[in-house]
Amino acid sequence: MSATVTPRAAEVTARPPAAKDRPWAAVLALARFEARELLLHVPVFVFLLLYLAYSVYSLVAAERDGMTDYPVLQDADRATQSAPQLVALAVLLCVNHAVLRSRRHGTDRHFGVLPVRPWRRTLAHVLSVVPFAAAVAVVVTAEFAWAALKPGAVGHGSVAELAVAPLTVLLAGVIGVLLARLIHSAFAAPLFVVGLYVLLVVVSVAADGGTPHWLTWLSPVVPETGGAPLPSALLGRPAAWHALYLAGLTVTLLGAALLVSGRRTRPVAVVTAVALAATAAGVAGQSPGGSRQLTQARTVASVSPEKDQACTLRAGVRYCAFPEWTGRTADWAAVVERVEQLAGDRHDRLTVRQRVEARYGLTGDAALVPLAGPGQITVGTEWGGNRVPEFAVGVASVLVAGSEKEASGICDARAVTVMWLALAAQPDPMSAFAHVRLDDSTEGPGAVLAPTEPLVMSAEQTRMVRELLHRPSGDVTAAVRSGWTELTSPETSLTRVAQLLGVRAPEKEENRDDPCAS
């Protein structure tokens, strides 16, 4: 009797390994499934869509006003951090909801017969958040690259600053998973978010409206916006320490979630301990406030910027800028030359000096004090859009009054000459007229923005400037050049200015004791 080999034995040997023999494949498969489920959650889908739409809209809308044609990269990297917080919040709530799904449906007892252990399911839920953090990283990179590739870009970005947004999303997902493993309630995550917000408000109130520096930097996102861009050396932001803090905290909480889920092994404990040490190092590194050297550097840049600047001479005008802005002098020179041509090249050693007020930090928005030296013109660290006609107003004011300090008191008939010089040099004078006014109007009295103090205009002066802008530019230019001495004298009346420039005189001469009266 001969023995035979049955096909059954061959099938057994050829059968692919079971899931328990390929645990990581099962984890990745579960992570992919949970990632798709997360995307189908309304909050995640809506906020992710809104984030993408907002990013695209902000780029397109900003192109229209020209303000982003000259981005400052050390501000552009921080600008990527705030919007993704909505995505992070949605991920926290929805991943928490996903982890608690089996408890809500009463299927927890069935997991005991599955080859995927509880800690592996926890890891799969954390991995399901990675695609959303990666999507945010792609958007952040695209936004920064869009700014960095512009011809007018200046400054230096930070990889650590750009890493904040995706790290925040990843951290939020890990927090959501850990909360679900610690507290088996759907109310835990919303209460955590509300409680954290209330705690921050209470601490801020207790600190008399100003949160301490070390506590501020415990927040995942610290954008610090509001002030004019500062040179990179004056930022004083512990960006690298903060990124280390976020990465360390994320891994620490992940380790805690695995330990709670039953993965109490030496490798997990070691990784968690190392991550905790990294978190502590990040907190220690970011906690100190501005150093004495930073304070001194900010003071020097604010009070004596010439010590940090390089100067170039173009057509008889000196342009002094901080090192990162030296490539922008050609744009400033184009405005100065257009205004000078209208005035008949009447200048005596003009100096355009870039200035900042850095003593109040990145959020300070203090006005710049007018320069007292003759022929000195202030230009800020922002450029493009409305900043161009504002700078032209500053240039014209110094040409007419002699110095910024003298120009700060102009609210007499000289304002007509100043405004025509500044606006006639613009591609679209009437549009620039509206944009440079504080109330965006071209009628009635109003204040005109400038690099330092604003210029005050009466209703009649506004009307005269409007009429001049509708006249042929060549005729007005000839009248300005021939009557320059009277037009730049504070003693010249508004009626006389109207006669010199060929526009309708005011019906009633303005009060010489109160020249700003409308």
Side-chain angles (χ1 to χ4, degrees):
M1 186 174 184
S2 61
T4 59
V5 179
T6 63
R8 180 66 179 174
E11 291 178 7
V12 171
T13 58
R15 181 182 301 169
K20 65 180 181 181
D21 300 323
R22 299 183 295 118
W24 291 111
V27 169
L28 294 177
L30 180 57
R32 289 194 296 269
F33 170 80
E34 293 295 346
R36 288 195 298 269
E37 289 296 307
L38 270 182
L39 184 59
L40 296 178
H41 276 77
V42 173
V44 173
F45 181 79
V46 170
F47 281 125
L48 186 60
L49 191 62
L50 286 176
Y51 171 54
L52 295 174
Y54 171 77
S55 300
V56 174
Y57 173 78
S58 61
L59 294 176
V60 174
E63 292 292 329
R64 298 174 183 173
D65 59 15
M67 295 297 289
T68 59
D69 289 342
Y70 302 86
V72 180
L73 298 184
Q74 55 262 33
D75 279 14
D77 55 11
R78 297 202 315 277
T80 63
Q81 298 177 2
S82 297
Q85 291 183 85
L86 291 176
V87 179
L89 177 61
V91 166
L92 189 156
L93 297 175
C94 292
V95 77
N96 180 269
H97 190 265
V99 176
L100 295 173
R101 184 192 308 119
S102 59
R103 182 168 293 273
R104 290 195 310 273
H105 296 166
T107 58
D108 265 351
R109 63 184 183 275
H110 300 301
F111 286 154
V113 300
L114 296 179
V116 181
R117 305 292 297 276
W119 71 269
R120 293 187 186 275
R121 293 198 298 273
T122 297
L123 182 59
H125 280 290
V126 171
L127 292 177
S128 70
V129 179
V130 173
F132 299 95
V136 170
V138 170
V139 175
V140 165
T141 303
E143 289 178 339
F144 183 78
W146 185 273
L149 293 176
K150 289 180 179 294
V154 298
H156 304 86
S158 168
V159 175
E161 296 281 14
L162 296 174
V164 167
L167 283 175
T168 300
V169 175
L170 195 58
L171 175 61
V174 174
I175 291 174
V177 173
L178 178 59
L179 285 174
R181 290 309 186 198
L182 292 174
I183 306 173
H184 301 154
S185 172
F187 295 102
L191 288 177
F192 171 80
V193 174
V194 174
L196 183 61
Y197 175 77
V198 171
L199 177 63
L200 292 176
V201 172
V202 169
V203 170
S204 178
V205 172
D208 196 19
T211 308
H213 180 273
W214 68 269
L215 186 59
T216 298
W217 280 90
L218 291 181
S219 172
V221 177
V222 188
E224 289 189 319
T225 58
L230 299 182
S232 299
L234 304 181
L235 294 182
R237 285 176 59 86
W241 289 113
H242 190 62
L244 177 63
Y245 156 69
L246 291 178
L249 183 59
T250 301
V251 178
T252 299
L253 296 182
L254 171 59
L258 294 177
L259 290 171
V260 170
S261 301
R263 187 61 173 176
R264 298 179 178 89
T265 61
R266 184 182 297 274
V268 173
V270 170
V271 171
T272 303
V274 172
L276 184 59
T279 305
V283 172
Q286 70 184 12
S287 292
S291 64
R292 179 179 300 179
Q293 292 79 4
L294 176 63
T295 302
Q296 291 177 347
R298 286 179 171 180
T299 301
V300 169
S302 303
V303 178
S304 305
E306 64 276 3
K307 296 181 179 180
D308 297 331
Q309 294 180 340
C311 297
T312 59
L313 191 66
R314 297 175 64 99
V317 180
R318 291 179 72 236
Y319 296 90
C320 301
F322 292 104
E324 293 172 303
W325 276 267
T326 53
R328 203 164 278 179
T329 54
D331 299 299
W332 302 338
V335 176
V336 173
E337 290 168 6
R338 289 198 299 267
V339 175
E340 281 190 312
Q341 288 174 1
L342 293 173
D345 294 328
R346 302 172 184 272
H347 70 264
D348 184 17
R349 298 187 61 82
L350 293 179
T351 298
V352 175
R353 185 170 300 283
Q354 190 176 42
R355 298 173 62 201
V356 295
E357 179 49 81
R359 288 172 290 183
Y360 305 103
L362 297 172
T363 58
D365 194 21
L368 296 172
V369 178
L371 295 171
Q376 295 192 53
I377 305 169
T378 294
V379 65
T381 52
E382 295 177 293
W383 191 250
N386 298 347
R387 299 295 179 264
V388 178
E390 289 174 17
F391 175 62
V393 171
V395 175
S397 298
V398 171
L399 288 178
V400 170
S403 71
E404 285 188 343
K405 186 175 182 180
E406 293 295 329
S408 63
I410 290 182
C411 56
D412 49 46
R414 290 178 296 173
V416 175
T417 305
V418 169
M419 291 305 298
W420 182 82
L421 288 174
L423 298 175
Q426 305 305 311
D428 187 351
M430 288 304 298
S431 177
F433 193 13
H435 291 158
V436 84
R437 296 251 297 193
L438 192 59
D439 58 357
D440 293 330
S441 72
T442 58
E443 296 182 356
V448 176
L449 298 174
T452 54
E453 294 186 0
L455 183 73
V456 180
M457 296 184 68
S458 68
E460 283 298 320
Q461 291 168 356
T462 301
R463 189 263 307 166
M464 290 173 61
V465 170
R466 194 170 59 248
E467 291 183 7
L468 286 172
L469 293 177
H470 284 97
R471 289 191 59 197
S473 178
D475 295 346
V476 181
T477 300
V480 168
R481 292 178 177 179
S482 61
W484 182 259
T485 302
E486 287 188 87
L487 291 173
T488 57
S489 171
E491 301 300 324
T492 305
S493 67
L494 193 60
T495 300
R496 178 56 179 162
V497 169
Q499 294 173 351
L500 291 171
L501 298 180
V503 295
R504 180 166 54 88
E507 297 180 0
K508 181 177 65 174
E509 183 63 41
E510 294 176 344
N511 188 353
R512 297 301 296 274
D513 296 328
D514 184 14
C516 298
S518 58

